[in-house]
């Protein structure tokens, strides 16, 4: 590890994350910016409109995690019926919405619009060629913008993809859509969609659920498969493997994990055979999803024409951010008929794939938390966790800096004392795993070193908030309060298996495996010695190889091959194509230290596209949402609304590619143990400043939603922040 990233380094923050002096040293300045503190800021931001959408997301999360501790104040009827909201009926499940080859928006989920767009499963077999050609019904959720004059809709909606692969764009838009409009503009229509195989889009990529006896076997109708029984079998299988551990936790763990991966691969192969050439598992790969996004763009244009919408330009009076002089304006700002998109994590691979396949249809494409496509399509995705240790090694440093605001800190501590206290807990759990009775289910629970490692890896995605939770939990563990772990590790309960009316869209599936494995250019079918060698190479890159390799094994011996060939991202240098020229430059965003999508990947991918811009946000965590940054928000809004693109990245010399590289860099306005807590009243002297604070507060809300979505490498979505008691009136 470079010296500047060691925990005891006095210059740790200077070259790495550019913590602002005002935030570090000037406590009076901080206090003046945080007039009412976290509690009042949270109350102010909890508007009724956002409460309703977040409650809907909470319902999805609660059912999926098999817990009933959070009440549903809206009593959603999952029995396939609609509810009346005033004089208007609204759909509360996609099951009740009729699919169409045209966009037909219907009211749904309180104050949004939904549609199911029918597209070809196989674009080589178009729907107009034969009624028997297989189809996909894409679930879309529209968060309407606020329009004026003759305009009824945005010229181009902002499409979202939260990553995964396997993440639900519908759920993300439902939870974060209104907050995102505070960032990109309230007039902007936003669409979240479930990519093929995922969520409410049918057919589902579900390897555990098989057609019901006596059903018509229609894969487009999720109820034709016994998904309740399938999820029971999935849960049993996952529970049986819960205590296997990470790759290096025992002498035979790698073999056990590989055998389990091969078993699921075999199951998916058998499910694929049920539907033959019309199996969705053959068509979930990323190029098909990119083609689906083009279908959505075309369907949107057709819908606007059908409703007689105007193309007259709307005046956005709320642009609070302006691009800096270094950002270059483009020739045309028109996005009609083109993709406007913000993709995170795996969503960057999807966006890059679209830009490569349809370069003349790029309107505005933001790729945030950039996946290295060359590594992703290889048999084992290596190189992605090269910056993970920079984050984990900084915990003790930031805890020490926070002093009494970090529960694991003791008066008089040095950084090494905090680290020793942390490691003592880890060593104790490794030697003597924790046993307890789960506080909710009353089941006996065994918690091992591997389980805690998985949790800690998830924390690396959002260290600005996660480190506070780690300090609180490890402080309790250091004092012998092991029962706290029972609140973190959730166990399955029978309720979801007994509720036959729950829709299939809220249950897990195998989309992540199916997509990732279909995107591989070369089959992954390694022997145990070969896997061990791969793990050893990965271990030389990061101490988190045990967690990452455990995830990467899931494609070993996966038998289903995509009908169309995967993208040729990793061609030999002598065969590489010239950089791709798009109709509008792509914008890439990377954090200085990201646990799974390193800065190096952002630089590399940006250079694959002509004139693409790159923003490096000086923060830790996954995607720019991991930290609030006024600078980054301004750049994003200027790109979308003004067509301003940051300069194309220039690498430094050999061995100094990143250290001496030149590209746009943005400071973050928060860091571990010092979260952004701005209150709009602090900026009352200036309307523009007030709008900046409002947009930053909205980004904090998006961050909270995004952190609760299951991301790449995570066993489950993690919400440790909800466990720790709030202490109003105490500065964190």
């Amino acid at each position: 590890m470079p010296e500047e990233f060691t925990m005891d380094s006095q210059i740790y923050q200077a070259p790495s994350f550019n913590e602002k002096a005002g935030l570090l040293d000037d406590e009076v300045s901080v206090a003046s910016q945080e007039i009412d503190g976290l509690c009042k800021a949270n109350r102010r931001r909890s508007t009724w409109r956002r409460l309703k959408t977040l409650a809907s997301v909470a319902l999805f999360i609660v059912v999926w995690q098999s817990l009933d501790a959070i009440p549903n104040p809206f009593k959603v009827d999952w029995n396939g019926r609609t509810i009346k909201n005033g004089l208007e009926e609204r759909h509360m499940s996609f099951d009740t919405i009729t699919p169409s080859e045209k966009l037909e928006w219907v009211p749904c989920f309180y104050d949004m619009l939904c549609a199911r767009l029918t597209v070809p499963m196989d674009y080589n077999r178009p729907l107009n060629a034969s009624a028997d050609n297989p189809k996909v019904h894409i679930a879309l959720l529209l968060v309407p913008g606020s329009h004026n004059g003759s305009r009824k809709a945005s010229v181009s909606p902002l499409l979202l993809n939260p990553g995964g692969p396997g993440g639900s764009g519908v759920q993300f838009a439902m939870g974060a859509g209104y907050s995102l409009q505070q960032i990109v503009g309230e007039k902007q229509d936003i669409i979240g969609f479930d990519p093929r195989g995922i969520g409410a889009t049918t057919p589902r990529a579900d390897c555990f659920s098989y057609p019901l006896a006596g059903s018509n076997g229609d894969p487009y109708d999720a109820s034709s498969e016994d998904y309740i029984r399938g999820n029971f079998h999935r849960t049993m299988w996952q529970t049986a493997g819960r205590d296997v551990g990470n790759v290096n936790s025992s002498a035979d763990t790698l073999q056990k994990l590989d055998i389990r991966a091969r078993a699921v691969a075999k199951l998916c192969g058998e499910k694929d055979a049920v539907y033959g050439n019309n199996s969705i598992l053959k068509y979930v790969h990323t190029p098909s999803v990119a083609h689906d996004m083009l279908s959505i763009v075309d369907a949107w244009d057709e819908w606007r024409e059908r409703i007689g919408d105007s193309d007259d330009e709307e005046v956005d009076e709320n642009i609070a951010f302006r691009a800096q002089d270094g950002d270059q304006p483009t020739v045309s700002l028109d996005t009609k008929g083109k993709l406007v998109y913000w993709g995170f994590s795996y969503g960057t691979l999807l966006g890059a794939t679209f830009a490569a396949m349809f370069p003349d249809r790029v309107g505005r494409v933001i790729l945030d938390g950039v996946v290295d496509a060359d590594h992703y399509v290889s048999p084992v995705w290596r190189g992605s966790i090269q910056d993970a240790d920079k984050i984990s090694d900084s915990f003790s440093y930031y805890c020490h800096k926070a002093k009494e605001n970090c529960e694991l800190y003791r008066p008089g501590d040095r950084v090494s004392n905090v680290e020793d206290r942390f490691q003592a807990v880890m060593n104790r759990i490794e030697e003597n795993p924790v046993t307890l009775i789960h506080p909710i289910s009353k089941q006996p629970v065994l918690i091992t070193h591997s389980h805690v490692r998985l949790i800690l890896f998830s924390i690396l995605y959002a260290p600005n908030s996660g480190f506070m939770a780690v300090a609180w939990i490890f402080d309790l563990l250091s004092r012998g309060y092991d029962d706290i772990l029972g609140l973190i590790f959730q166990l399955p309960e029978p309720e979801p298996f007994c509720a036959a009316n729950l829709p299939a869209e809220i249950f897990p599936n195998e989309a992540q495996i199916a997509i990732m494995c279909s995107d591989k250019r070369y089959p992954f079918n390694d022997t145990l010695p070969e896997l061990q060698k791969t793990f050893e190479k990965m271990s030389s890159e990061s101490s988190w190889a045990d967690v990452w390799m455990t995830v990467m094994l899931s494609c070993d011996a996966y038998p289903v091959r995509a009908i169309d060939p995967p993208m040729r991202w990793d061609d030999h240098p002598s065969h590489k194509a010239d950089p791709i020229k798009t109709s509008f430059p792509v914008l890439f965003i990377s954090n200085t230290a990201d646990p799974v999508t390193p800065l190096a990947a952002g630089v590399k991918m940006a250079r694959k596209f002509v004139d693409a811009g790159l923003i490096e946000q000086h923060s830790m965590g996954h995607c720019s949402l991991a930290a609030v940054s006024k600078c980054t928000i301004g750049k994003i809004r200027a790109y979308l609304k003004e067509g301003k693109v940051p300069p194309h990245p220039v690498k430094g010399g050999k061995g100094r590619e990143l250290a001496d590289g030149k590209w746009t860099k943005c400071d973050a306005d928060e860091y571990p143990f010092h979260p952004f807590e701005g209150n709009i009243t602090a900026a009352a002297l200036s309307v523009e400043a007030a709008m900046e604070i409002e947009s930053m507060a909205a980004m904090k809300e998006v961050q909270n939603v995004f952190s609760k979505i299951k991301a790449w490498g995570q066993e489950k979505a993690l919400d440790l922040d909800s466990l720790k008691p709030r202490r109003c009136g105490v500065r964190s």
Side-chain angles (χ1 to χ4, degrees), residues 4-314:
E4 65 267 28
F5 285 109
T6 59
M7 292 176 297
D8 291 292
S9 173
Q10 296 301 310
I11 60 171
Y12 177 84
Q13 72 278 17
S16 306
F17 309 114
N18 281 13
E19 296 164 358
K20 297 180 179 179
L23 291 174
L24 287 174
D25 303 320
D26 188 355
E27 298 300 323
V28 175
S29 174
V30 172
S32 67
Q33 294 177 20
E34 299 172 359
I35 291 179
D36 293 327
L38 177 60
C39 298
K40 288 186 178 179
N42 282 344
R43 287 197 294 269
R44 179 185 61 80
R45 294 196 295 266
S46 297
T47 62
W48 174 241
R49 180 171 67 174
R50 295 184 182 122
L51 173 62
K52 291 188 293 185
T53 57
L54 288 174
S56 299
V57 174
L59 178 64
F60 279 91
I61 296 172
V62 168
V63 175
W64 178 70
Q65 292 179 336
S66 304
L67 294 174
D68 58 0
I70 304 176
N72 172 26
F74 302 104
K75 299 187 184 301
V76 173
D77 183 356
W78 290 110
N79 196 27
R81 295 192 294 267
T82 58
I83 67 168
K84 283 193 174 182
N85 181 4
L87 300 176
E88 192 174 50
E89 285 194 344
R90 289 191 171 269
H91 294 262
M92 303 308 294
S93 170
F94 281 89
D95 287 349
T96 64
I97 300 174
T98 303
S100 172
E101 293 182 32
K102 296 182 177 181
L103 277 180
E104 302 288 353
W105 297 107
V106 297
C108 64
F109 301 106
Y110 306 103
D111 53 359
M112 300 176 184
L113 298 173
C114 292
R116 295 177 72 193
L117 180 65
T118 301
V119 300
M121 180 181 291
D122 182 355
Y123 279 94
N124 297 310
R125 293 184 283 168
L127 300 180
N128 58 10
S130 171
D132 296 329
N133 283 346
K135 308 170 182 63
V136 171
H137 302 313
I138 302 175
L140 303 101
L141 182 139
L142 170 63
V143 182
S146 176
H147 301 287
N148 54 34
S150 59
R151 178 64 60 80
K152 301 176 182 178
S154 300
V155 170
S156 300
L158 174 65
L159 267 64
L160 301 175
N161 184 282
S168 168
V170 165
Q171 292 188 30
F172 184 49
M174 191 184 301
Y178 288 121
S179 297
L180 283 168
Q181 286 176 335
Q182 297 295 316
I183 297 166
V184 303
E186 293 187 351
K187 299 181 186 301
Q188 179 65 59
D189 293 325
I190 293 178
I191 290 180
F193 72 101
D194 286 352
R196 50 177 63 200
I198 297 168
T201 290
T202 58
R204 301 175 70 243
D206 185 341
C207 296
F208 281 85
S209 302
Y210 282 72
L212 283 162
S215 72
N216 58 11
D218 182 0
Y220 315 120
D221 179 6
S223 63
S224 69
E225 294 187 340
D226 194 350
Y227 58 85
I228 298 293
R229 182 182 297 272
N231 193 53
F232 173 75
H233 292 159
R234 178 185 295 107
T235 303
M236 294 288 288
W237 173 256
Q238 292 173 343
T239 302
R242 181 181 178 277
D243 296 328
V244 171
N246 296 334
V247 165
N248 64 341
S249 59
S250 69
D252 61 350
T253 300
L254 178 59
Q255 181 181 29
K256 290 179 179 178
L257 290 169
D258 185 48
I259 291 172
R260 287 181 57 81
R262 288 172 176 271
V264 173
K266 187 174 184 179
L267 177 68
C268 290
E270 188 157 321
K271 176 63 180 291
D272 178 69
V274 171
Y275 297 109
N277 202 36
N278 293 343
S279 167
I280 187 61
L281 297 178
K282 289 184 173 71
Y283 301 96
V284 293
H285 66 327
T286 300
S288 287
V289 182
H291 210 145
D292 290 342
M293 291 202 296
L294 184 63
S295 296
I296 294 171
V297 171
D298 291 339
W300 179 267
D301 288 345
E302 188 278 334
W303 171 71
R304 288 188 64 239
E305 183 177 351
R306 187 161 22 108
I307 65 174
D309 197 12
S310 169
D311 285 336
D312 293 340
E313 183 177 356
E314 284 185 296

